[in-house]
Amino acid sequence: MDHQIATNLTGSIQLIRAALPYLRDQGGGRIVQVSSEGGQKAYPNFSLYHATKWGIEGFIESTAQDVAPFGIDFIIVEPGPTATDFAAGLVRGTPMAVYDATPAGDVRRALADGSFEIKGDAGRTVEAMIAAADEAHPPFRLALGSTAYTGIKQALEERLHALEAQRDVAYSADVGDVVA
């Protein structure tokens, strides 16, 4: 747990914090942070990974607002599964048999036996990242790969639908009579 948080969250935060004084002094700059489609949607068996990716995205959303007046901007890169041998480097906990017949077990087995579908090309992903970084006004978030695009779109639509269904109860929690 500590290793994953240090790698995906704390390390990125510390690097960004170290770079900001230099970028402020030079009058601007751009930080490109690799996150994942996992910063917008979640897979079973990856709860800690998703916690770090959602965490770095929240940190950057807030920090981007803090430093925009200094001419500093960010790109959050959100690739889907990409051919990088990602699964080979995973630090894994001991599997618990109770999860064998669950979606978490299915994902664990797919990673172990190589059947987890990977559509992303690492070279094309890097080329797209560089092209975005070179743009005068790049996107704040950059989904890369069809899996990322489709998964993020579906997750956002589902969250928006769920939020819209709560509109009346959300407004009912305000002080006084607020008309929606």
Side-chain angles (χ1 to χ4, degrees):
M1 183 168 33
D2 293 340
H3 175 79
Q4 192 155 143
I5 292 170
T7 300
N8 292 349
L9 183 60
T10 310
S12 293
I13 290 170
Q14 295 293 21
L15 180 61
I16 290 166
R17 290 180 66 218
L20 289 177
Y22 298 100
L23 297 176
R24 283 192 304 265
D25 288 347
Q26 74 181 17
R30 175 165 297 146
I31 295 174
V32 178
Q33 172 66 51
V34 177
S35 178
S36 162
E37 74 168 319
Q40 293 285 327
K41 66 164 287 177
Y43 289 100
N45 202 51
F46 276 84
S47 56
L48 189 56
Y49 175 81
H50 291 298
T52 64
K53 294 303 183 178
W54 288 60
I56 194 60
E57 293 206 15
F59 173 81
I60 291 172
E61 277 210 23
S62 180
T63 303
Q65 295 172 61
D66 296 341
V67 301
F70 301 103
I72 302 168
D73 63 20
F74 287 82
I75 302 172
I76 302 172
V77 181
E78 299 172 327
T82 304
T84 61
D85 289 332
F86 172 81
L90 289 177
V91 176
R92 298 179 180 151
T94 304
M96 296 172 64
V98 69
Y99 289 100
D100 284 349
T102 71
D106 295 342
V107 170
R108 184 182 65 218
R109 279 187 297 283
L111 287 168
D113 68 19
S115 65
F116 189 84
E117 186 174 27
I118 297 174
K119 294 181 180 180
D121 179 275
R124 289 180 176 185
T125 298
V126 170
E127 289 171 5
M129 289 169 57
I130 292 169
D134 286 341
E135 291 180 23
H137 303 286
F140 181 64
R141 283 193 163 82
L142 180 64
L144 293 174
S146 60
T147 302
Y149 178 85
T150 302
I152 292 169
K153 182 178 186 289
Q154 179 182 357
L156 291 172
E157 287 172 345
E158 288 171 1
R159 286 201 303 270
L160 179 59
H161 179 73
L163 176 66
E164 288 171 339
Q166 299 172 27
R167 183 175 178 272
D168 291 341
V169 72
Y171 276 76
S172 75
D174 287 347
V175 173
D177 294 327
V178 176
V179 179

